[in-house]
Amino acid sequence: MDKKNESYKVKSFEYMMHPKSVAIIGASNNPDKVGHVILQNYLDVGYSGKLYPININASGSIMGLKAYKSVLDVKSNIDLAVVAIPAQLVPKALEECGRAKVKTTIIVSGGFAEVGEVDLQYKLLEIAKRYKFTILGPNCLGVMDPKSRVDTLFLPTYKIDRPRIGGVSFASQSGAVGSSVLDMIAHEGFGLSKFISYGNAIDLDEVDILDYLARDKDTKVIVFYMEGVKRGKDFIEVAKRATREKPVIVIKGGTTEAGATAAHSHTASLAGNYEAYEAVFKQFGIIKAESLDDLLNFSKIFDTQPLAKGNRVAIITNGGGTGVLATDSLYNNNLVLPQLSKDSSTKLRAAMPPIVNIRLPLDMAGDADDKRFNVALDVIGNDPNVDAIMAIVLFQTPGADSRVAASIMHHSATINKPMVVVSPGGNYTQAHVNMMESSGIPVYTSPESAARALDALVKYSKYKLAKGR
Amino acid sequence: MEAYRLMKKYGIKTVQSAYVSSAAQAVKFAAGKPIVLKAISGKALHKTKSGLVELNLTGDSQISAAFTHLKKAAEKYKPYKILAQHMVPQGIEVIMGGREDAQFGKLILFGLGGIYVETFKDVSIRVCPIRKTDAQSMLDDLKSKSIIAKDAKSASMLEELLMKVSRMLIENDIKELDLNPLILHDGTYDAVDLRILK
């Protein structure tokens, strides 16, 4: 994206994600304090820049680092200040940040508009504007970037697993949803680029975050949890640009809220607040997730798979019934099962034993081994009638073992079409799921969730293709 | 009648209409063709439900009788005016509408209309301004697409019309708009009832 039009707000995220120096205001030797956990996390993840613990009562050192009473006592540049002190003390600390020419701040502290302290919150914004720095928060978890080893979360590393480095960036208005999703991402087959928890969003809001993530080269997929948008028209403008660059997946909280005003016309009663969001998402290519499951399931397909040319999905399976269920889930999710090309049919007939019917869904029978999977993926991967592949591998069957997983991994890397795997099961299955996922194949426990993910991919592919014209 | 002028300005066809204050005026307006009489009152939002619509009236005596009947029915919705309209042939009833959203600005809505609009809720919504591709995808969204847009020609007519309505919504201070029903017939359409909230 165009660097020239980058706003100072967008630039300030660079200081947050790649700070050369960080002041932690509220850092403490007392392990019960939020500031203690934040400093501990910076130390745990191996942050390599300068760290300045700030505490008004400081004398000597905090957690082995030289401590300061105020950012004004630090005689070097500070890129980022993380503020974790009681709400009433925040304005004074911010004034000092302004005078110390801190580039950007993350205010972790709560106790502002969310508890009715609107004036106190407004004061923060006024100070930031006066000194021309930016604020993330207040009442947020801040940011995490596993690549640059930045972690302002006040959640101890032993309590919440940190995801590996990857291409999915996740922004959340809610800290609670944010931290639980992060914990889950750590166990999914994809990694994290950036996490941004933005809380009350008095300064940096969803529009700035979307803008930043759309321009960020390390971010391949943008995922959002939001309850509302403050600047609707700006959001649309940024969304238009962002969705042309990369997929944007949104889950919106508060979808069932009742309309605030009584409707006078049919149109007003049918086109309420929620419908307006739906219209915006659809019109500007945003992928809507209906649940947190969707959020994770969609993230992994967009992170790893190429765009789809159409909605024709070939199913190959080593279990008949699961193939039937999978076929149903295709048609329930705007997808279709194609006819194999003549060439494919001939090749498959020659390679498969007589008990295998050569038609889709291709049921290769319970004794299907890696040889059958190899042939099927070779042939179907090149079939012009097929836009995407759903491979169902039931590892409970006699023929399915690590060689089948290896076959899937090999073909996923060589076939230039989206491929998903469905593998429900216990420990033996899970071991193979982990193998496949860590090699970049989205694996699902049910055909339904795989089909939903494929549908989202097909829809976005179509949108992006239309915009590319 | 300001609303009708606005429609005309944007090339949106509305059925020929006039306010009438006597049965004689209504007969004159009809000029031998079938008409509809409607009592218009701010107190009655749903004219059909309130018994304020008399359909398919032909001939002096039928028009006069309906006029008298309507005046009686409208008594409790005072003040009211009586609108005479030429009868539109039977067709498919659709709704086009708009709303000013506090977050995103003007929204446009299109779907299956008439008295079923609230029952089936088969509508599609976009943010204005819309382009041709948006209008096309609005049609594609509808379950009733094959009923509403039977062929390429009628689809194209509806897309053009949606873009006109979008332009009108954007260029005017309109809080809410209902064109319902808008009747599709004989390869064309007529907006039969309209409501604008400024």
Side-chain angles (χ1 to χ4, degrees):
Chain A
M1 272 194 188
D2 185 4
K3 274 268 174 203
K4 261 191 312 201
N5 293 328
E6 203 176 79
S7 72
Y8 77 99
K9 285 173 142 189
V10 169
K11 274 192 195 117
S12 73
F13 282 104
E14 283 298 326
Y15 289 113
M16 240 172 248
M17 300 298 179
H18 307 102
K20 292 200 179 68
S21 50
V22 181
I24 292 162
I25 303 176
S28 164
N29 280 318
N30 178 352
D32 296 336
K33 298 286 183 191
V34 167
H36 176 94
V37 181
I38 294 172
L39 181 56
Q40 183 68 58
N41 286 349
Y42 265 94
L43 296 172
D44 284 351
V45 299
Y47 169 68
S48 61
K50 291 207 166 61
L51 279 172
Y52 303 112
I54 313 287
N55 192 313
I56 199 159
N57 303 315
S59 61
S61 70
I62 294 175
M63 297 168 76
L65 296 167
K66 180 172 164 35
Y68 302 83
K69 284 186 190 302
S70 157
V71 288
L72 290 169
D73 300 336
V74 178
K75 299 300 179 197
S76 317
N77 288 335
I78 298 171
D79 282 348
L80 167 67
V82 184
V83 183
I85 52 178
Q88 300 302 330
L89 304 176
V90 174
K92 182 170 176 285
L94 278 196
E95 283 280 355
E96 291 172 359
C97 286
R99 283 163 55 204
K101 297 199 166 51
V102 169
K103 307 272 194 327
T104 183
T105 61
I106 294 171
I107 302 176
V108 172
S109 318
F112 296 94
E114 78 280 8
V115 293
E117 294 284 354
V118 178
D119 291 346
L120 187 62
Q121 176 164 304
Y122 186 76
K123 218 169 180 176
L124 309 185
L125 187 60
E126 185 270 316
I127 297 166
K129 295 278 175 224
R130 187 146 40 82
Y131 289 104
K132 299 190 174 59
F133 64 82
T134 51
I135 297 176
L136 184 69
N139 187 31
C140 71
L141 293 175
V143 301
M144 181 198 282
D145 180 343
K147 194 172 162 190
S148 68
R149 301 184 176 227
V150 160
D151 188 335
T152 74
L153 275 60
F154 58 84
L155 309 164
T157 45
Y158 68 89
K159 281 193 149 181
I160 164 176
D161 297 327
R162 266 43 174 189
R164 63 181 170 83
I165 299 170
V168 176
S169 284
F170 173 45
S172 178
Q173 190 170 349
S174 151
V177 172
S179 49
S180 55
V181 169
L182 267 190
D183 206 359
M184 291 194 281
I185 288 179
H187 296 275
E188 287 288 341
F190 61 92
L192 183 81
S193 178
K194 313 279 185 304
F195 170 65
I196 302 174
S197 151
Y198 59 98
N200 296 5
I202 52 169
D203 186 20
L204 297 170
D205 60 16
E206 45 284 317
V207 177
D208 305 311
I209 294 168
L210 186 57
D211 199 355
Y212 166 68
L213 293 176
R215 293 166 194 267
D216 177 44
K217 283 190 199 68
D218 290 332
T219 297
K220 279 173 68 188
V221 182
I222 301 173
V223 179
F224 252 100
Y225 170 83
M226 58 173 67
E227 279 155 23
V229 166
K230 287 199 190 106
R231 297 183 282 142
K233 288 179 183 172
D234 294 342
F235 180 79
I236 287 175
E237 288 313 310
V238 174
K240 269 189 209 168
R241 279 191 283 120
T243 55
R244 272 176 216 193
E245 296 278 329
K246 50 191 94 171
V248 179
I249 303 164
V250 174
I251 181 163
K252 188 183 174 303
T255 53
T256 52
E257 81 190 300
T261 49
H264 294 285
S265 58
H266 285 299
T267 300
S269 78
L270 292 166
N273 182 267
Y274 173 62
E275 287 81 5
Y277 276 96
E278 280 210 309
V280 167
F281 293 171
K282 190 162 207 171
Q283 194 168 351
F284 303 107
I286 291 170
I287 302 137
K288 196 181 80 170
E290 302 282 357
S291 63
L292 293 179
D293 287 342
D294 270 1
L295 201 78
L296 297 170
N297 290 337
F298 292 3
S299 295
K300 61 184 177 188
I301 197 169
F302 281 105
D303 187 38
T304 57
Q305 298 304 300
L307 295 181
K309 294 202 171 66
N311 68 341
R312 301 169 303 174
V313 181
I315 296 170
I316 65 166
T317 176
N318 61 351
T322 319
V324 174
L325 288 174
T327 305
D328 289 342
S329 58
L330 292 190
Y331 285 88
N332 286 334
N333 289 286
N334 313 303
L335 304 167
V336 298
L337 196 68
Q339 293 278 345
L340 287 171
S341 74
K342 221 168 166 177
D343 186 40
S344 298
S345 301
T346 313
K347 283 178 178 157
L348 288 172
R349 184 65 287 162
M352 294 289 167
I355 51 155
V356 174
N357 276 318
I358 305 303
R359 58 148 193 260
L360 294 176
L362 185 68
D363 177 6
M364 299 185 291
D367 60 344
D369 56 6
D370 57 315
K371 289 184 198 70
R372 279 185 220 169
F373 272 95
N374 269 329
V375 172
L377 289 169
D378 267 338
V379 171
I380 291 170
N382 288 310
D383 191 317
N385 292 353
V386 173
D387 300 315
I389 299 171
M390 185 191 289
I392 300 167
V393 191
L394 306 174
F395 280 99
Q396 296 82 359
T397 60
D401 56 20
S402 303
R403 285 171 296 186
V404 169
S407 165
I408 300 265
M409 279 146 67
H410 169 75
H411 287 90
S412 167
T414 50
I415 294 173
N416 194 24
K417 288 172 186 176
M419 177 156 108
V420 298
V421 171
V422 177
S423 277
N427 289 336
Y428 183 78
T429 297
Q430 201 52 48
H432 291 98
V433 168
N434 293 344
M435 278 167 63
M436 291 188 284
E437 289 219 313
S438 47
S439 80
I441 302 162
V443 185
Y444 299 93
T445 48
S446 74
E448 178 62 23
S449 49
R452 283 183 66 79
L454 280 167
D455 178 36
L457 183 73
V458 167
K459 283 201 181 109
Y460 177 69
S461 303
K462 199 174 159 194
Y463 176 86
K464 200 167 170 186
L465 198 72
K467 292 295 157 189
R469 274 205 298 260
Chain B
M1 286 290 119
E2 193 197 343
Y4 284 89
R5 274 201 297 277
L6 195 60
M7 297 294 145
K8 201 170 171 191
K9 185 179 158 193
Y10 287 89
I12 300 162
K13 264 177 37 157
T14 51
V15 63
Q16 207 185 340
S17 319
Y19 284 120
V20 292
S21 48
S22 66
Q25 269 185 14
V27 169
K28 198 176 160 207
F29 172 84
K33 289 184 214 148
I35 63 163
V36 181
L37 290 176
K38 297 175 179 175
I40 311 285
S41 160
K43 289 176 191 163
L45 289 178
H46 297 289
K47 288 185 276 295
T48 313
K49 283 184 200 160
S50 311
L52 301 180
V53 180
E54 295 275 348
L55 292 170
N56 207 9
L57 311 168
T58 42
D60 297 9
S61 60
Q62 200 184 4
I63 292 172
S64 301
F67 188 89
T68 314
H69 185 243
L70 202 58
K71 273 189 89 86
K72 210 165 145 191
E75 195 58 26
K76 61 178 165 181
Y77 298 108
K78 261 180 171 174
Y80 65 89
K81 285 193 271 189
I82 290 180
L83 187 74
Q85 288 182 321
H86 279 288
M87 190 71 193
V88 173
Q90 286 213 328
I92 307 296
E93 298 195 342
V94 298
I95 177 171
M96 275 191 202
R99 176 174 78 79
E100 165 107 63
D101 182 76
Q103 280 309 330
F104 300 113
K106 300 280 171 60
L107 305 177
I108 182 168
L109 169 143
F110 176 56
L112 193 63
I115 56 172
Y116 299 120
V117 61
E118 297 277 4
T119 313
F120 294 117
K121 295 188 170 66
D122 185 20
V123 295
S124 176
I125 301 161
R126 293 290 183 279
V127 180
C128 300
I130 56 165
R131 294 158 308 165
K132 183 101 177 164
T133 51
D134 296 317
Q136 282 164 350
S137 80
M138 286 184 83
L139 258 62
D140 289 340
D141 278 358
L142 299 176
K143 291 192 191 81
S144 52
K145 187 194 174 187
S146 60
I147 301 170
I148 291 175
K150 284 192 189 73
D151 49 39
K153 209 179 142 211
S154 56
S156 170
M157 175 189 81
L158 288 165
E159 286 153 19
E160 292 298 326
L161 182 58
L162 279 165
M163 286 190 287
K164 284 178 190 170
V165 173
S166 162
R167 209 172 309 132
M168 180 177 79
L169 285 165
I170 290 231
E171 291 171 5
N172 295 276
D173 182 22
I174 297 172
K175 293 233 156 29
E176 285 178 34
L177 166 77
D178 259 2
L179 300 175
N180 184 37
L182 187 141
I183 297 182
L184 309 175
H185 64 89
D186 310 309
T188 181
Y189 70 91
D190 276 291
V192 173
D193 208 346
L194 56 98
R195 176 195 314 283
I196 291 184
L197 216 82
K198 293 210 166 195

